[in-house]
Amino acid sequence: MLTRLSSPGHEDLYRVEDRESGLRGYIALHSTRLGPAAGGLRMRVYEGDDAAIEDVLNLSRGMSYKNAAAGLPLGGGKAVIMGDPGHDKTPPLLRAMGRAIDSLGGRYWTAEDMGMSPDDMAEIARETRFVAGRDQGMHASGDPSPVTARGVMGAMQAGAMRVWGKADLAGRRVAVQGLGHVGWHLCLMLHEAGARLIVADMDAARVASTVKEFGAEPVATGAIHAAEADIFAPCAIGGVLNARSIPEIRAALICGAANNQLATPEAAELLEAHGILYLPDYVANGGGIINVAAEILQIADRDGWVADRLSAMQANMAHILTRAAAEGVSPAVIADRMVEEQLLAQAV
């Protein structure tokens, strides 16, 4: 079922196959220097195996950085299943993935990600204990989306303090790209904070619901990044900040929940050159893994522990922004440097 593949820069990469259930996917372990690799399982349609491998490698590396930046004793890993979650996902397929995860003996802990739900985690948990994000159990953490949104909101407030001298988001125009679980919760929090919402999503029903509930302004998915807004919040797929999109962005601040927002490392420099403050995504969106970590680490006072970690994460973002301003470089450069120093120190 598991076939080990070559993966320069990663500890391990496995192809996962199960003919009986139709399972085909990949598990990547980027680093276990800080602890067992932890990161979500996503299911989506890929153009092919190369695209799935590229995604799982990028995401697992991002999890190493995210977990380190959040101060968690966890490494970075990720898993992907190739297929349409609306049509191809079945209990046998999920259980087969559970058996594959279990065969790694705790080197990788999985949790909910794109195309997955707490119910799916419960199905996987029938085959392995190395799963978090469940709805039931002594330390169950459930859907991490609301906590991810809380973390993004805190980071956004830190960014607003840096750009406008105050964390208050009332009256700020925020363009939210992607209205999935995290995007919707972020819209709710922004609406309650008095922000004015501009939204886009491939699902017209989600857009209509957000417009009705929050008085949001809808725009086309291909135009959301260029909307006249104070803040751009990417909460969908990665790679949205690139040489084509960046010159069209009008927002002064970018802070969202999507992973791997920068299409290339050079995109951070381009944003800096355009005077746009980019908040490193793996720092801003760390709330979800903090919530999951409380389950993995079996924290008794989960709510208090999560709240403390979210506060520390917001303070860390503020520290990154201060250092970046002092050195005249992108916050992405500072965040990467801090994490790499941490991982290097652990390796010695």
Side-chain angles (χ1 to χ4, degrees):
M1 179 182 289
L2 282 182
T3 303
R4 193 169 186 267
L5 307 176
S6 174
S7 55
H10 282 64
E11 291 184 10
D12 281 307
L13 171 65
Y14 298 96
R15 182 171 61 240
V16 186
E17 294 178 292
D18 181 70
R19 292 184 180 179
E20 186 174 341
S21 67
L23 171 66
R24 185 173 181 84
Y26 294 89
I27 299 173
L29 307 184
H30 176 260
S31 172
T32 56
R33 289 178 182 175
L34 299 180
L41 164 65
R42 65 171 47 182
M43 183 174 185
R44 55 168 291 198
V45 176
Y46 290 95
E47 292 183 359
D49 287 89
D50 288 346
I53 291 172
E54 181 181 10
D55 199 31
V56 78
L57 291 177
N58 286 337
L59 290 167
S60 60
R61 178 182 181 276
M63 287 307 306
S64 286
Y65 281 58
K66 182 184 300 190
N67 290 334
L72 301 174
L74 298 171
K78 206 77 176 185
V80 302
I81 296 175
M82 301 174 66
D84 184 344
H87 298 92
D88 303 326
K89 185 167 58 179
T90 64
L93 181 144
L94 293 172
R95 290 198 297 272
M97 179 55 97
R99 291 191 294 274
I101 291 167
D102 195 67
S103 70
L104 296 176
R107 294 184 64 221
Y108 168 64
W109 282 75
T110 199
E112 178 188 352
D113 199 347
M114 183 186 297
M116 291 288 128
S117 70
D119 285 344
D120 297 328
M121 295 300 104
E123 194 68 45
I124 291 171
R126 294 178 61 180
E127 300 292 344
T128 182
R129 68 182 183 88
F130 304 114
V131 56
R134 290 176 287 178
D135 274 338
Q136 298 180 356
M138 183 177 296
H139 300 285
S141 59
D143 183 0
S145 302
V147 186
T148 302
R150 281 170 57 192
V152 173
M153 187 73 173
M156 197 177 288
Q157 290 168 330
M161 178 64 75
R162 171 60 54 180
V163 175
W164 297 293
K166 59 179 182 179
D168 186 8
L169 297 175
R172 295 290 173 197
R173 290 173 59 84
V174 184
V176 180
Q177 179 189 44
L179 301 172
H181 291 297
V182 178
W184 189 90
H185 282 288
L186 181 61
C187 284
L188 171 62
M189 295 174 190
L190 287 167
H191 177 71
E192 291 175 344
R196 299 162 62 190
L197 294 168
I198 306 166
V199 299
D201 193 278
M202 297 293 290
D203 188 329
R206 291 180 183 175
V207 173
S209 175
T210 308
V211 169
K212 180 179 179 180
E213 292 192 50
F214 306 132
E217 174 189 341
V219 300
T221 55
I224 185 67
H225 69 282
E228 189 173 343
D230 298 302
I231 302 169
F232 175 40
C235 296
I237 58 173
V240 297
L241 304 177
N242 51 58
R244 182 194 63 80
S245 66
I246 290 171
E248 299 174 346
I249 295 173
R250 303 190 211 180
L253 172 64
I254 297 177
C255 177
N259 291 310
N260 301 324
Q261 294 170 26
L262 300 174
T264 63
E266 291 74 25
E269 299 174 7
L270 189 57
L271 286 166
E272 189 74 9
H274 279 76
I276 301 170
L277 183 63
Y278 165 71
L279 274 56
D281 51 44
Y282 63 80
V283 182
N285 65 18
I289 192 60
I290 287 173
N291 191 62
V292 167
E295 184 174 354
I296 294 173
L297 302 174
Q298 299 186 356
I299 303 297
D301 178 20
R302 189 183 72 85
D303 291 344
W305 186 83
V306 167
D308 288 345
R309 295 311 314 156
L310 288 177
S311 294
M313 190 174 74
Q314 184 174 359
N316 188 37
M317 180 66 83
H319 175 64
I320 289 169
L321 298 181
T322 298
R323 281 187 56 178
E327 297 186 27
V329 298
S330 168
V333 172
I334 299 298
D336 283 358
R337 185 189 305 165
M338 291 171 60
V339 168
E340 287 160 6
E341 288 172 354
Q342 184 178 350
L343 292 174
L344 184 60
Q346 191 67 27
V348 175

